[in-house]
Amino acid sequence: RAPSDWHCRIQTARMESNELLSNLDLVASSGVVFSTQVRALLDTSLVLLKNSEKFDSVRFLGKIAGTRQDYYIAQGLGSNHLSDRKYFFSMDAVQWARLPEIHPVLQATCLKIKSRFTGSASHEYTVVEPAASTAGSVPADVIAVRKEDRKDDGTINYVTIVTEERRLAALVYAIDHEAGIVPRGAYHKSPTGQVEPNQSFEGLSTADAKKLKSYLHFRHATGAKKSEDGDKSIDFLDSIADDIPQGSWSLQQERGCAVIVLKSLLWPGLVAFHVPGTRRFGYVYVGTATKNVDLAFMLP
């Protein structure tokens, strides 16, 4: 019976992988294009990743470009899709390595680096920033890569050595937190707090799919306004309609309204999609991991 169960899991994972990669065709018109060879490699390696790590689901999140080599990014989801997540990167779309967890203090330091990724996970960056009163609240692994530089005038700077692997983790987490979205109703929250795919979700109607408020950030609510319907089992996430600045998203109808495509203007290169009346949705990022920090000044 065990071999049969294993074979069933392999078939299920391959079906999900095929659907995941076929969804890339829905965003090809937005410039998200991968070669046939890369797609074939991802098709196999993502199945292996899901089964080796015993994930409930695996998502391909896209590619971050480096000056010498690119990083492919994937996300593994456990039984609770909102809180049980792990992120992975690959240089060749075959072998996947887990991205490290990163403390918010170190993430903030990583986000201050403005140069391009090199494509070497062991590459080191030196970040110099004014000292802040956080010494007592940071863990030992942050203190280990940071030292104080005291100037003659009494000012103190932090000098932090950051590997590209940690910087990559910081950017992937930031992009997913600020621009990873799902259609309203795609996920259900049980009374015990378990967040899992909503089996009764059959897709948004064409009319609802054209509205920004029908799309929600797939993260723990940050305190912003949530969807207004009042169904607590599905309205537990922040709506992108409330994002600041207003106008952070571009919604487009393609293939005669058969596909809805949403582009993040805050993270250029992030493209989300949904096929109304179906369970097909997702998002993918392809770019240099450069945030448009001037967006508020560019909008009318």
Side-chain angles (χ1 to χ4, degrees):
R1 195 169 76 182
S4 177
D5 291 342
W6 174 255
H7 180 67
C8 181
R9 288 197 298 269
I10 287 288
Q11 284 188 318
T12 301
R14 183 164 293 281
M15 289 175 60
E16 292 178 354
S17 178
N18 288 337
E19 180 181 354
L20 179 150
L21 294 175
S22 68
N23 285 340
L24 292 176
D25 295 332
L26 301 177
V27 293
S29 61
S30 298
V32 180
V33 179
F34 294 88
S35 69
T36 302
Q37 179 183 5
V38 169
R39 290 164 67 105
L41 292 173
L42 290 171
D43 180 39
T44 299
S45 67
L46 291 176
V47 171
L48 296 175
L49 177 64
K50 176 182 177 180
N51 284 283
S52 65
E53 297 289 337
K54 296 180 173 57
F55 288 128
D56 185 63
S57 179
V58 167
R59 292 175 173 176
F60 175 59
L61 295 187
K63 179 179 71 174
I64 292 180
T67 55
R68 297 196 297 268
Q69 197 168 356
D70 302 333
Y71 295 104
Y72 297 99
I73 308 298
Q75 179 189 67
L77 303 174
S79 58
N80 189 322
H81 283 207
L82 191 60
S83 60
D84 187 8
R85 304 184 190 182
K86 295 181 176 64
Y87 297 83
F88 297 81
F89 74 96
S90 174
M91 315 293 288
D92 56 8
V94 176
Q95 300 293 328
W96 294 91
R98 184 179 172 185
L99 285 169
E101 300 290 337
I102 186 165
H103 190 276
V105 171
L106 190 56
Q107 181 183 30
T109 296
C110 292
L111 295 179
K112 293 178 181 178
I113 303 171
K114 302 303 179 185
S115 59
R116 289 274 305 275
F117 281 92
T118 67
S120 173
S122 60
H123 179 79
E124 293 185 342
Y125 301 87
T126 300
V127 183
V128 180
E129 56 190 322
S133 57
T134 57
S137 61
V138 297
D141 61 333
V142 175
I143 297 175
V145 298
R146 170 178 286 177
K147 66 179 181 178
E148 292 185 357
D149 180 22
R150 187 179 297 273
K151 301 298 183 181
D152 294 336
D153 60 2
T155 60
I156 301 175
N157 287 334
Y158 285 147
V159 180
T160 308
I161 306 299
V162 177
T163 63
E164 184 154 289
E165 181 181 29
R166 282 188 167 181
R167 183 192 174 198
L168 181 65
L171 267 296
V172 169
Y173 299 155
I175 294 171
D176 198 38
H177 179 79
E178 297 182 7
I181 63 175
V182 296
R184 177 180 178 270
Y187 281 87
H188 171 272
K189 184 176 183 179
S190 71
T192 61
Q194 185 81 354
V195 176
E196 54 193 7
N198 184 359
Q199 299 303 319
S200 64
F201 178 70
E202 297 298 336
L204 298 172
S205 67
T206 300
D208 286 339
K210 299 176 183 178
K211 303 174 183 177
L212 282 180
K213 69 178 183 179
S214 297
Y215 300 92
L216 314 174
H217 285 286
F218 196 48
R219 66 190 184 200
H220 290 285
T222 61
K225 288 175 59 181
K226 301 174 188 173
S227 301
E228 301 174 354
D229 188 88
D231 187 342
K232 294 182 179 180
S233 66
I234 60 176
D235 291 323
F236 56 94
L237 303 170
D238 298 326
S239 169
I240 68 171
D242 300 316
D243 282 4
I244 298 175
Q246 290 286 323
S248 298
W249 292 90
S250 168
L251 188 152
Q252 302 172 356
Q253 305 168 35
E254 298 189 356
R255 304 186 187 183
C257 296
V259 181
I260 302 297
V261 173
L262 300 99
K263 298 180 181 180
S264 172
L265 304 184
L266 187 63
W267 289 99
L270 189 291
V271 182
F273 64 90
H274 177 48
V275 179
T278 76
R279 299 171 62 90
R280 295 182 69 182
F281 65 88
Y283 53 90
V284 63
Y285 176 86
V286 175
T288 59
T290 302
K291 186 176 182 178
N292 185 5
V293 295
D294 296 322
L295 178 61
F297 305 100
M298 300 169 62
L299 296 171

